[in-house]
């Protein structure tokens, strides 16, 4: 394990258009970063999912935004009316719970909105394969997007696509500094890397690519299960129903198990 982490976002990414070769574009940006900042073995390349969506043609007219949100939605989690309209928090077809199903109007040409990539993990695998062939080193690749958290103000980036990165570090069964066994600790490594990368990429700097160095122990030879494995839905989602109902069911389960 490294005790040092370096993260940087090279400049020079042009406006991405449908059909563009993303491997060539990202590779050129990494090439131009200079000899000390070009990809090295064990680096993680984090790419904002918006440029992937643009290259894959996931662009729709802004007038169709509400319909696009509906089309991407598999479950409505919450809605709230406000002065400028209605915010919908939904589970989208990727299993992600996000505002507006991840349909985004920022950093896209006027009159258009972007949908998330069709299969972010597949996009990450293709990008990884191309970059590894180009640079001849072992890399991890993450696709990141911005999301809010239900009990925290503000947004942060998380990984919606992953290849060659150990997305989750399961620490259960290990011990802490006092020798106590850890029971539930699992680090969402991919999300932590995505959030760190966003600190240097920013929202309006034209730098959608970041390189993270120092986490080679989390870079794997195989592509791995991808970021989809981090999604907690279905039976594992404690908040799929209303809080009162979830609390009542939890109380019933605890009572049945003999716990107060």
């Amino acid at each position: 394990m490294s005790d040092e982490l370096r993260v940087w976002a090279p400049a020079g990414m042009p406006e991405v258009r449908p059909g563009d070769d993303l491997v060539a574009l990202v590779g050129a940006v990494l090439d131009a970063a200079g000899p000390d900042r070009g990809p090295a073995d064990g680096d993680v390349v984090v790419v904002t999912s918006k440029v992937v969506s643009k290259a894959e043609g996931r662009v729709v007219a802004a007038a169709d935004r509400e319909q696009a949100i509906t089309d991407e939605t598999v479950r409505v989690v919450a809605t709230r009316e406000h002065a400028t309209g209605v915010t919908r928090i939904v589970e989208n077809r990727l299993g992600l719970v996000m505002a507006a199903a991840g349909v985004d109007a920022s950093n896209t040409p006027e009159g258009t909105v972007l949908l998330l990539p069709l299969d972010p993990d597949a996009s990450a695998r293709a990008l990884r394969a191309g970059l590894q062939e180009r640079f001849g080193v072992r890399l991890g690749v993450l696709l990141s997007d911005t999301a809010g958290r239900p009990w925290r103000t503000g947004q942060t980036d998380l990984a919606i696509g992953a290849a060659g990165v150990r997305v989750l570090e399961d620490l259960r069964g290990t011990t802490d500094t006092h020798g106590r066994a850890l029971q539930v600790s699992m680090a969402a490594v991919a999300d932590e890397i995505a959030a760190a990368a966003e600190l240097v990429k920013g929202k309006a700097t034209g730098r959608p690519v970041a390189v993270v160095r120092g986490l080679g122990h989390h870079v794997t030879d195989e592509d791995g299960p991808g970021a989809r494995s981090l999604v907690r839905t279905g039976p594992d989602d404690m908040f799929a129903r209303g809080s009162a109902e979830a609390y009542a069911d939890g109380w019933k389960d605890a009572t049945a198990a003999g716990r107060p």
Side-chain angles (χ1 to χ4, degrees):
M1 178 178 293
S2 172
D3 62 357
E4 181 180 80
L5 186 67
R6 294 179 58 206
V7 189
W8 63 91
M13 189 73 164
E15 178 64 28
V16 178
R17 294 178 173 80
D20 279 350
D21 184 340
L22 204 57
V23 171
L25 291 178
V26 174
V29 168
L30 297 177
D31 262 334
D36 295 332
R37 292 195 164 196
D41 192 80
D43 284 351
V44 180
V45 178
V46 184
V47 179
T48 301
S49 64
K50 289 181 181 64
V51 298
V52 179
S53 293
K54 290 177 181 179
E56 294 180 354
R58 299 283 288 159
V59 184
V60 298
D64 299 328
R65 180 176 184 269
E66 293 303 316
Q67 185 59 51
I69 294 171
T70 299
D71 292 343
E72 294 289 298
T73 296
V74 299
R75 176 172 64 94
V76 177
V77 176
T79 62
R80 174 166 291 182
E81 294 186 11
H82 46 81
T84 57
V86 178
T87 295
R88 286 188 276 172
I89 309 296
V90 306
E91 177 188 339
N92 64 24
R93 55 179 182 73
L94 298 173
L96 300 167
V97 176
M98 310 178 89
V103 178
D104 197 348
S106 63
N107 294 309
T108 185
E110 187 69 28
T112 65
V113 294
L114 292 174
L115 312 182
L116 293 177
L118 276 173
D119 187 342
D121 284 329
S123 300
R125 291 193 295 269
L127 188 54
R128 183 194 191 209
L131 292 176
Q132 287 192 144
E133 181 178 2
R134 176 171 180 145
F135 292 104
V137 295
R138 185 178 56 113
L139 299 170
V141 169
L142 297 179
L143 305 189
S144 66
D145 200 68
T146 304
R149 287 98 22 101
W151 296 285
R152 303 285 287 183
T153 298
Q155 298 81 34
T156 186
D157 265 30
L158 48 77
I160 68 167
V165 177
R166 185 178 295 109
V167 297
L168 192 70
E169 184 176 20
D170 191 346
L171 300 174
R172 294 174 297 179
T174 62
T175 56
D176 64 16
T177 55
H178 296 280
R180 290 188 291 263
L182 300 176
Q183 303 293 329
V184 297
S185 296
M186 292 190 288
V189 173
D191 287 346
E192 292 176 323
I193 297 172
E198 179 58 21
L199 292 175
V200 295
K201 286 190 296 173
K203 296 297 182 189
T205 61
R207 297 174 184 243
V209 178
V211 179
V212 181
R213 181 165 296 169
L215 296 175
H217 55 290
H218 287 305
V219 175
T220 60
D221 292 331
E222 302 299 322
D223 284 332
R228 187 62 187 254
S229 63
L230 292 173
V231 172
R232 179 184 285 175
T233 55
D236 292 332
D237 185 357
M238 294 176 63
F239 306 103
R241 295 174 291 178
S243 58
E245 187 176 11
Y247 176 82
D249 284 353
W251 181 83
K252 291 175 185 177
D253 292 342
T255 301
R259 300 191 302 272

